[in-house]
Amino acid sequence: MQFLLAFVVLGPLVGAAAALLPAPPGLRGGSPDQAVLRHGVTVTGTILLAAVVLAIGFDHDHPSKMQAATDISWIPALDVRIHLGVDGISLPLLVLTALLTFLCALYSYFNMPAGPSPKAFVALLLVLESGTLATFAVLDLLLFFLAFEMVLIPMYFLIARWGGEARQPAAWKFILYTLLGSVVMLLGLLLIGLKAGTFDMVALATDNGRGLTTSVQVIAVLAIGLGLAVKTPMWPLHTWLPDAHTAAPTVGSVLLAGVLLKMGTYGFVRIVLPVAPDGMKTFAPYLAAFAVVGIIYGSLACLALARSGAGGDLKRLIAYSSVGHMGFVLLGIATMTPTGVNGALFANIAHGLITGLLFFLVGAVKDRYGTADLDTLAGATGAALYGRAPRLGGLLAFAAVASLGLPGLAGFWGEMLALFGAFDPADGLSRPAFLTFMAIGAFGTLLTAAYLLVVVRRVCMGARPQEAQDEQRAEPLADVRAYEFAAWTPLVALTVIAGLWPAVLLGLTDPAVQQLLAGGKS
């Protein structure tokens, strides 16, 4: 198990180096480009298989225990260690990352985004995967920071070199925002490590802030929280996200929404909550307030983009929807209760599955129509998706109702538990304030349903034209292709399974969350 976790984290780096080498003669296939894309599918598939084996071998009777642990001294003078491990909180995120990266590699094999050499594309994709997996597996504050930063350069180049219009400004905005947030976060991590005498996250969580004064905790939470809030992203630090999503290639948007945003919220749960509980309690009401403002703001922005004549971009709309959905995750964390934090972790996974599927679908729609402009999609053809590509239209409608939190699908449970956590927050937090936040968040679910149903009505529904000249314009589009079916089916299936059987995920996270909030005590 130790070797397996190390392989999952480091394997993509080896694969990235191999992608830059010439392919052996027997493996070149039709062209070098085909060979390197097949290499990407093979490496990410192998990592996914290893992650699944790791999940199967995980001791599900003790999910609060760190398993598959590796602990090697790295910088003795600072007590910095190469410390890896997984528990019920990090294991689902590891598997989600491996799954989405494999699906992106598979999708790119058949539909490579326009841009430079596929060699660089595959290598960057694998470096991005390694950095993300390491973020969820490392148990040392400085290693966490290094892994956290490792993903920035690959994502920058994926946007800047393989993106669409305005890709350069969007890429610069992405990296400047996240780098500035990371610098502030590093100061907070160093403050905790130097004051506590260790950077080991397990030891710090067990100590539960007892070795840190309240003032140190407050300063650390403010610094670390700002860096994590940029990556999440929390309103009003979200402005880089819509531009990045709009410009990114399809697989870049899938990974950005499905995986990278989770790194910020994971940091809140793994570091801020257990290591500096007093500081977190000071800022929890403010975090909850920003979270619910983000829920309402994201929904209103989506409604504005969805209305007729607004010229809204469908990718941009889904990006703004992520601001609202991640608001529910932050609200659950801010409650500092097992119910709220479990809801946040569940919503993390659900958002990765559903929004990853949405970006895949919007990419497919854009490929077919040549645009993601909502007015064009709704009015240029006379016959919308249900009439022209019924399976594609049905999948888009399914993803939309899953995103709005329909009971029985994955999007429902996380938001509901976050609201339940706000109904009865942790001791020391103002219940009237959190009841207000709960009411605002509940209103946000109505706004979410409104804009997603408007999108479905405008993009999927439409009368088939009667006049012959219009019938020619509304000829059928290519429906779901075989490789698209292969890439999207796992996300659809897991969205249904998580919605009908939430205990699979909550059974992993709840014991680990209970122990984390109790300061390492069972």
Side-chain angles (χ1 to χ4, degrees):
M1 293 285 284
Q2 292 175 329
F3 170 78
L4 203 57
L5 180 58
F7 174 75
V8 165
V9 172
L10 298 176
L13 278 182
V14 178
L20 298 174
L21 301 175
L27 298 177
R28 288 176 185 167
S31 69
D33 289 352
Q34 183 186 29
V36 75
L37 290 170
R38 186 169 59 246
H39 171 79
V41 175
T42 303
V43 173
T44 55
T46 303
I47 298 302
L48 174 60
L49 180 63
V52 171
V53 173
L54 183 69
I56 293 172
F58 186 81
D59 184 357
H60 292 263
D61 293 329
H62 301 91
S64 60
K65 178 185 176 184
M66 280 296 171
Q67 301 180 35
T70 298
D71 191 1
I72 303 170
S73 178
W74 184 32
I75 307 176
L78 295 176
D79 194 26
V80 177
R81 311 184 68 80
I82 299 175
H83 193 180
L84 305 176
V86 290
D87 63 357
I89 293 172
S90 53
L91 182 64
L93 290 166
L94 276 175
V95 177
L96 175 68
T97 301
L99 172 65
L100 285 177
T101 312
F102 168 69
L103 297 180
C104 286
L106 180 65
Y107 187 85
S108 299
Y109 179 78
F110 295 96
N111 190 7
M112 173 68 193
S117 164
K119 275 192 172 187
F121 176 84
V122 171
L124 290 169
L125 192 69
L126 292 173
V127 172
L128 180 68
E129 180 182 29
S130 181
T132 311
L133 290 168
T135 302
F136 299 135
V138 297
L139 297 172
D140 183 275
L141 291 179
L142 291 186
L143 281 183
F144 175 86
F145 175 78
L146 293 176
F148 198 85
E149 295 302 287
M150 183 176 168
V151 304
L152 299 185
I153 299 303
M155 182 53 71
Y156 166 80
F157 280 110
L158 287 175
I159 296 172
R161 303 300 298 276
W162 287 271
E165 296 180 7
R167 58 182 181 267
Q168 290 288 351
W172 275 110
K173 196 171 184 180
F174 161 75
I175 200 164
L176 288 176
Y177 263 73
T178 49
L179 275 177
L180 288 173
S182 297
V183 169
V184 180
M185 184 179 75
L186 176 61
L187 296 177
L189 295 175
L190 289 173
L191 177 64
I192 286 178
L194 295 175
K195 289 293 185 180
T198 181
F199 290 94
D200 187 87
M201 291 156 66
V202 175
L204 289 166
T206 304
D207 187 63
N208 202 219
R210 286 182 286 269
L212 301 170
T213 64
T214 301
S215 59
V216 167
Q217 290 189 38
V218 168
I219 296 170
V221 169
L222 180 61
I224 297 170
L226 280 173
L228 297 174
V230 171
K231 185 64 72 75
T232 298
M234 180 186 76
W235 180 91
L237 304 173
H238 68 285
T239 54
W240 61 269
L241 184 69
D243 292 339
H245 271 308
T246 305
T250 295
V251 294
S253 292
V254 170
L255 292 175
L256 183 58
V259 177
L260 265 67
L261 303 189
K262 313 300 174 284
M263 295 164 62
T265 51
Y266 174 78
F268 275 107
V269 174
R270 177 64 74 194
I271 299 173
V272 178
L273 273 177
V275 174
D278 294 337
M280 180 64 185
K281 194 162 288 187
T282 300
F283 286 106
Y286 304 101
L287 179 63
F290 283 121
V292 296
V293 170
I295 292 170
I296 300 300
Y297 170 83
S299 299
L300 292 177
C302 290
L303 278 171
L305 290 169
R307 64 185 172 85
S308 179
D313 185 278
L314 190 51
K315 284 188 74 175
R316 195 172 189 86
L317 184 147
I318 297 172
Y320 273 110
S321 78
S322 291
V323 177
H325 288 303
M326 298 311 288
F328 283 102
V329 176
L330 291 172
L331 177 61
I333 293 170
T335 67
M336 300 183 68
T337 62
T339 302
V341 176
N342 276 303
L345 294 172
F346 197 104
N348 253 348
I349 301 299
H351 180 265
L353 296 172
I354 297 168
T355 307
L357 177 60
L358 274 170
F359 276 116
F360 269 134
L361 292 166
V362 174
V365 169
K366 188 173 182 179
D367 287 343
R368 287 157 172 79
Y369 281 96
T371 181
D373 179 76
L374 269 167
D375 290 332
T376 303
L377 297 177
T381 64
L385 275 179
Y386 286 158
R388 304 190 67 194
R391 293 184 183 86
L392 184 60
L395 280 171
L396 183 60
F398 168 83
V401 296
S403 185
L404 64 83
L406 184 73
L409 297 175
F412 171 73
W413 294 105
E415 295 181 3
M416 184 196 71
L417 290 172
L419 294 175
F420 278 2
F423 180 77
D424 188 17
D427 293 339
L429 298 179
S430 170
R431 192 171 185 224
F434 274 84
L435 286 174
T436 304
F437 299 146
M438 182 193 72
I440 297 172
F443 179 66
T445 63
L446 301 179
L447 295 177
T448 302
Y451 72 74
L452 285 168
L453 292 176
V454 168
V455 168
V456 171
R457 178 180 61 80
R458 296 193 67 206
V459 176
C460 295
M461 301 178 184
R464 188 176 290 277
Q466 300 300 317
E467 299 179 10
Q469 62 267 30
D470 288 335
E471 287 180 3
Q472 186 176 4
R473 292 173 59 201
E475 62 185 8
L477 293 171
D479 212 336
V480 179
R481 301 181 176 97
Y483 73 90
E484 293 172 332
F485 182 81
W488 302 342
T489 298
L491 301 179
V492 174
L494 289 171
T495 298
V496 175
I497 292 170
L500 295 177
W501 197 10
V504 173
L505 186 55
L506 293 174
L508 277 173
T509 62
D510 185 54
V513 167
Q514 296 274 3
Q515 179 166 307
L516 208 66
L517 293 176
K521 301 173 184 176
S522 300

